[in-house]
Amino acid sequence: LHLPLPLLLMSSAIANNSEKHAEPIPCPDDVEDIGRASGCAGCPGQEFCLKVSAAGKSEEQKMLETRMSAVKHKLIVMSGKGGVGKSTIAVQLAIALSQKGLKVGLLDLDICGPSIPKMLGCEGAQVIQKPWGWQPVVVRDIKLMSVGFLQANNRVPVVWRGPRKTQMIKRFLKDTFWGQLDYLVIDTPPGTSDEHLTVVSALKNANPDGGVIVTSPQEVALDTIRKELNFCKKMKLPVVGLVENMSGFTCPCCGEVYDLFLKGGGERFAKEKDLNFLGCLPVDPEITSKGETATFLSDSPESSSAVALDTIVSNILTAVAT
């Protein structure tokens, strides 16, 4: 656990690819298995991992788990492909949960492309260091944390290697004063890389509810969702359910829905894989404008998109309660 997981995975891949390009075996998450699992044989880092296993949990991990124990539910919004609307879903989900009277936090783990500050109209806000940890930015009673709040100039790119991303994500979880929350919504970047490995491994003993997987209806997007599901399976992360975004286009003039990007691909996929289908959101100009102006679907509860979002939220609440 002390060695960056990407490095461990790379080592495992090198060790296993020597035999007919065998599929890489993920590094074990349990401390007692580190360095001893079958996939560790031949790994250059095995000796180091055996020392880590003997040492047990670090004080950093213990503190992180203590902090997360005050959060009842942890949802990781994820997708294998970029541009399917994960951040939009994460923001609208957090707002909708908050408006139901729940205590909500929203963590932006897109280190290189943080968009949560812009979408919530709090660009330029600063995180304050307090004796009990980082004091998160608060918008509409939602506690927010993003690397965007730590940049003096948000036009400067974040050029970090994996280990530095890993440390920052752990600090977001461990050092932020989240307090007692009903839900922590975690917005991740696309893919199955450093950010995902770090947050899933760090939260393993904190009982995350699982991943909320976002896709668009096209087959090209669904192909990457298959990889995301394999990632969840290997990391033993439950899947709360699947959301189909951009499911049809709602005309702003007549309200008619047109299938620009097909429709129903996500729902069919969920049925095929025996996943909980949480619902779908259309391509709606209202959603786009609200994301640009820091307003929210729940502000217009009669709109078709707001009704669709409410269905998704209700299905998530039902899923985590069972």
Side-chain angles (χ1 to χ4, degrees):
L1 290 175
H2 296 270
L3 190 66
L5 277 170
L7 180 56
L8 287 175
L9 283 168
M10 188 182 301
S11 299
S12 181
I14 293 171
N16 286 280
N17 277 339
S18 60
E19 299 182 8
K20 298 182 181 180
H21 302 286
E23 186 178 357
I25 301 174
C27 297
D29 296 312
D30 295 327
V31 171
E32 58 268 23
D33 292 336
I34 293 178
R36 298 182 177 87
S38 59
C40 299
C43 175
Q46 185 178 17
E47 183 178 350
F48 179 88
C49 289
L50 285 170
K51 293 179 181 178
V52 170
S53 177
K57 285 184 186 177
S58 67
E59 290 302 315
E60 178 186 64
Q61 182 64 24
K62 291 178 183 177
M63 188 180 299
L64 186 154
E65 290 175 9
T66 299
R67 184 81 80 179
M68 288 294 102
S69 67
V71 180
K72 293 179 183 177
H73 299 288
K74 306 156 195 78
L75 301 173
I76 304 174
V77 181
M78 55 203 310
S79 178
K81 190 170 186 63
V84 298
K86 286 184 310 303
S87 294
T88 297
I89 296 293
V91 168
Q92 299 294 345
L93 172 60
I95 291 291
L97 289 169
S98 178
Q99 293 197 337
K100 289 183 179 293
L102 299 167
K103 296 179 181 178
V104 180
L106 177 57
L107 173 57
D108 183 1
L109 288 191
D110 196 338
I111 304 295
C112 296
S115 55
I116 298 300
K118 171 69 174 178
M119 297 178 75
L120 284 165
C122 52
E123 287 181 296
Q126 294 184 341
V127 171
I128 301 173
Q129 178 70 51
K130 296 285 188 176
W132 51 84
W134 282 340
Q135 179 175 303
V137 174
V138 178
V139 173
R140 291 205 175 194
D141 298 324
I142 298 174
K143 295 181 178 179
L144 310 173
M145 180 56 76
S146 169
V147 75
F149 299 138
L150 306 178
Q151 293 179 279
N153 183 350
N154 61 13
R155 296 185 182 277
V156 176
V158 176
V159 186
W160 289 355
R161 296 185 185 274
R164 192 170 181 187
K165 288 183 181 180
T166 296
Q167 286 305 115
M168 179 56 70
I169 290 167
K170 288 182 176 179
R171 289 202 65 187
F172 280 156
L173 295 168
K174 173 179 67 74
D175 293 341
T176 303
F177 183 61
W178 295 106
Q180 292 187 343
L181 293 177
D182 294 307
Y183 281 86
L184 178 62
V185 179
I186 302 173
D187 180 32
T188 65
T192 54
S193 191
D194 296 322
E195 295 87 345
H196 311 81
L197 289 164
T198 300
V199 71
V200 173
S201 298
L203 291 178
K204 185 187 177 210
N205 293 324
N207 300 317
D209 291 276
V212 174
I213 298 181
V214 181
T215 186
S216 54
Q218 309 99 307
E219 185 61 34
V220 68
L222 295 172
D223 277 344
T224 62
I225 295 302
R226 293 182 176 89
K227 298 175 184 177
E228 199 78 23
L229 289 177
N230 285 332
F231 169 83
C232 292
K233 182 178 179 180
K234 290 179 179 180
M235 298 301 292
K236 299 178 182 178
L237 177 70
V239 176
V240 176
L242 184 142
V243 175
E244 180 176 304
N245 196 24
M246 305 181 192
S247 181
F249 165 69
T250 302
C251 176
C253 299
C254 64
E256 193 73 25
V257 176
Y258 299 92
D259 297 338
L260 294 182
F261 300 117
L262 305 178
K263 185 178 176 65
E267 187 170 5
R268 288 192 299 273
F269 181 83
K271 186 176 181 180
E272 172 193 331
K273 297 296 183 180
D274 196 26
L275 297 175
N276 186 16
F277 184 66
L278 300 173
C280 53
L281 277 179
V283 178
D284 188 346
E286 183 184 17
I287 297 177
T288 304
S289 64
K290 287 184 180 301
E292 296 288 335
T293 59
T295 53
F296 311 102
L297 284 176
S298 51
D299 295 335
S300 307
E302 303 303 321
S303 70
S304 59
S305 294
V307 172
L309 176 67
D310 190 62
T311 298
I312 292 170
V313 173
S314 296
N315 287 337
I316 289 174
L317 291 173
T318 300
V320 301
T322 56

